[in-house]
Amino acid sequence: MKSSRRKIALVLAGATALGTVAACSGGEEPEDAATSAGGKVTLSVVSLLPGSTEEAIKAFEDQVAEFEAANPDIDVEPEEYEWKATTFAAQLAGGTLPDVFEIPFTDAQGLVENGQLADMDAQFRSLAYADKFNPTILEAGTGEDGHVYAIPAKNAYPVALHYNRQLFESAGLDPDQPPTTWDEVREYAKQIADANPGVAGYATMTQNNTGGWQLTAQTASRGGRTVEVDAEQKATATLDNAGTKETLEFLRSLRWDDNSMGGNFLLDWGTINQEFAAGQVGMFTSGSDIYTSLVQTNAVDPKMYGLAPIPLDDSPEAATLAGGTLAGVPANADDAVKDAAVQWIDFFYLSKLVDEDRAVADAKTLAANEQPVGTPVLPMFSEEQYQENQEWIAEYINVPMDQMTAFTDAMFELPLVGEPSQKTQEVYALLDPVVQAVLTDENADIDALLSDANSQAQALLDQG
């Protein structure tokens, strides 16, 4: 099946491509809502990543206090949380997740089918702006019965190129002119590595399914797809496509010919952020929204940060991989918890996107605690709503927008494609060791590695 290059107004359907996660089926009986003294509902919610800065924690605490003041019948209990494909299923099955947790677009359908998410349809429909969502965004968390089980929580993001402006300057590169082709990425990576011994001019994720994620992103940027789905929803593994092979050859060249990828080849989403913020990585690809996490968790120096689109080749099928985040509630939650959950989701994630007073209040709280305001993402409702929101919070925007113009000038024209729509995380997991092999074995047989992974992927897809 051909993948399209539709513009943002149409392509969010691709950004919400649906997948499944290998999770145990939830079979617990409903429990009574947790209550504190005075009969209040106690609601545990995702807060920040472990290791977040004191400023980030203070900003979150201020937001909780504001919410509780407006909702005196709810006590919010924040819990640190980082979604990882390798641990999420066990956390959910073991009942150790908070009442409101976050999941990627790719995983919601599998959880709905397994009965592991609470039916939030009535609560969702109570939101004043429920009918304003792009319908394709809602599809990610909507079951076959038409009910909403997981609510869009954060704007969609495309995979982008993040780069260290200071390392660019140290290598004689213009930080206002980031690379626009993969050939330039290779050239710049070598210059950075040569000028800064021990630094990776370019790095990539390789484990906890993130290696497969980013290999898929680069594959798409070269016009390839790792899974094709026909009109009857039959999925065919295509991990051995030309785009994936080109990407692996590209990584092999940087690693073994140019010696420009440093010495750490076991990185995931969190650790590559750490390396980047510490000045040990010149360039890498990840979701366009990670600047917020880099500040909250890694105390990145804003002056060193740059953002650009992921390079696309000349193929008509070349596209930018996109994803997003949903908020879910465990299937055993009762109505009191679900009602409290939607109030928190409305307050913390959504109303600030459509209500001026809430947008300003949220931005003011974040800015007062030196937290990012204005990190560029794709709109959840419409481009017009996004632009209006940016006008509301203009005086509080504190991210280095002038260092992100390569991305923001192009963000609404990016050709987007969603993540593989079936067995997403399982396929990513099969690709992790392929990326690792290429980076650790100079003689790795790319064709053989991909052929083996493709056979395994097809076996998974055939399971339905």
Side-chain angles (χ1 to χ4, degrees):
M1 180 182 75
K2 286 199 171 184
S3 301
S4 67
R5 292 172 53 103
R6 291 166 286 179
K7 301 302 185 191
I8 182 62
L10 299 177
V11 81
L12 283 177
T16 59
L18 308 177
T20 58
V21 64
C24 300
S25 179
E28 297 90 344
E29 292 297 319
E31 299 174 354
D32 291 335
T35 57
S36 60
K40 294 182 179 181
V41 175
T42 299
L43 185 75
S44 56
V45 304
V46 167
S47 61
L48 302 170
L49 294 171
S52 294
T53 65
E54 292 183 6
E55 292 81 5
I57 294 171
K58 176 63 165 54
F60 191 87
E61 290 174 344
D62 288 349
Q63 291 169 311
V64 169
E66 182 183 354
F67 175 80
E68 291 181 335
N71 299 275
D73 58 337
I74 302 173
D75 279 334
V76 173
E77 292 187 349
E79 296 184 13
E80 291 183 336
Y81 175 81
E82 180 179 2
W83 185 90
K84 288 187 176 182
T86 50
T87 58
F88 174 80
Q91 290 174 305
L92 181 57
T96 60
L97 293 176
D99 297 318
V100 180
F101 54 84
E102 296 175 356
I103 55 175
F105 282 172
T106 54
D107 291 1
Q109 287 298 297
L111 299 176
V112 172
E113 292 169 3
N114 291 337
Q116 294 177 284
L117 294 178
D119 185 334
M120 295 293 291
D121 196 70
Q123 288 77 16
F124 171 77
R125 304 297 173 190
S126 72
L127 297 172
Y129 47 84
D131 61 349
K132 292 185 178 181
F133 282 90
N134 185 315
T136 56
I137 289 282
L138 286 182
E139 289 178 10
T142 301
E144 291 186 2
D145 58 3
H147 288 201
V148 172
Y149 289 80
I151 299 174
K154 295 179 180 178
N155 286 353
Y157 59 81
V159 172
L161 182 72
H162 308 267
Y163 65 97
N164 185 317
R165 293 172 59 87
Q166 294 171 347
L167 289 177
F168 266 50
E169 291 177 344
S170 71
L173 299 167
D174 183 351
D176 293 324
Q177 298 293 324
T180 59
T181 68
W182 287 113
D183 285 343
E184 288 182 342
V185 170
R186 179 181 177 183
E187 175 188 342
Y188 290 14
K190 181 167 174 51
Q191 286 184 235
I192 291 169
D194 287 349
N196 300 274
V199 167
Y202 181 86
T204 193
M205 304 178 209
T206 61
Q207 61 178 354
N208 293 325
N209 298 17
T210 62
W213 173 41
Q214 288 307 301
L215 179 57
T216 299
Q218 285 202 33
T219 293
S221 77
R222 291 176 165 88
R225 303 291 185 266
T226 53
V227 176
E228 300 278 5
V229 181
D230 65 20
E232 284 72 43
Q233 296 302 301
K234 176 176 173 53
T236 301
T238 54
L239 277 62
D240 53 356
N241 70 88
T244 301
K245 292 180 181 180
E246 290 171 13
T247 298
L248 292 170
E249 290 290 357
F250 167 80
L251 294 174
R252 171 152 52 198
S253 296
L254 268 68
R255 165 69 174 98
W256 298 104
D257 297 339
D258 303 344
N259 192 29
S260 60
M261 294 191 70
N264 187 352
F265 307 115
L266 290 175
L267 297 169
D268 61 11
W269 186 88
T271 52
I272 204 168
N273 289 350
Q274 293 171 9
E275 293 283 292
F276 179 77
Q280 295 303 301
V281 171
M283 295 175 286
F284 73 109
T285 58
S286 186
S288 67
D289 60 341
I290 65 159
Y291 179 78
T292 296
S293 179
L294 288 170
V295 172
Q296 290 180 335
T297 309
N298 307 111
V300 71
D301 180 357
K303 292 181 293 187
M304 60 86 83
Y305 181 79
L307 179 66
I310 191 171
L312 302 178
D313 73 8
D314 295 330
S315 166
E317 296 298 320
T320 301
L321 195 72
T325 300
L326 303 164
V329 175
N332 63 348
D334 69 7
D335 285 343
V337 168
K338 293 196 293 181
D339 290 345
V342 81
Q343 288 177 262
W344 172 256
I345 292 168
D346 171 52
F347 170 86
F348 185 70
Y349 295 105
L350 296 174
S351 60
K352 64 185 177 183
L353 303 178
V354 296
D355 179 82
E356 181 174 4
D357 290 341
R358 181 74 203 107
V360 171
D362 181 76
K364 187 175 182 179
T365 297
L366 292 172
N369 288 282
E370 300 180 348
Q371 296 306 292
V373 177
T375 300
V377 290
L378 298 178
M380 190 177 295
F381 299 103
S382 67
E383 180 179 345
E384 292 74 22
Q385 182 68 60
Y386 177 86
Q387 298 294 6
E388 184 177 34
N389 177 269
Q390 295 300 100
E391 293 173 6
W392 292 338
I393 63 174
E395 68 175 286
Y396 299 103
I397 291 177
N398 56 13
V399 302
M401 296 297 291
D402 58 343
Q403 297 164 205
M404 304 178 181
T405 54
F407 177 81
T408 56
D409 286 350
M411 61 185 284
F412 291 110
E413 295 299 318
L414 295 173
L416 301 178
V417 66
E419 296 179 72
S421 62
Q422 297 184 29
K423 301 293 183 183
T424 312
Q425 298 299 334
E426 293 94 324
V427 173
Y428 287 168
L430 291 174
L431 288 170
D432 274 3
V434 175
V435 179
Q436 292 172 20
V438 170
L439 297 180
T440 57
D441 179 3
E442 186 172 7
N443 298 312
D445 187 334
I446 290 174
D447 287 341
L449 289 167
L450 287 178
S451 177
D452 181 56
N454 197 71
S455 296
Q456 295 181 62
Q458 189 60 58
L460 287 170
L461 293 169
D462 288 342
Q463 295 173 9

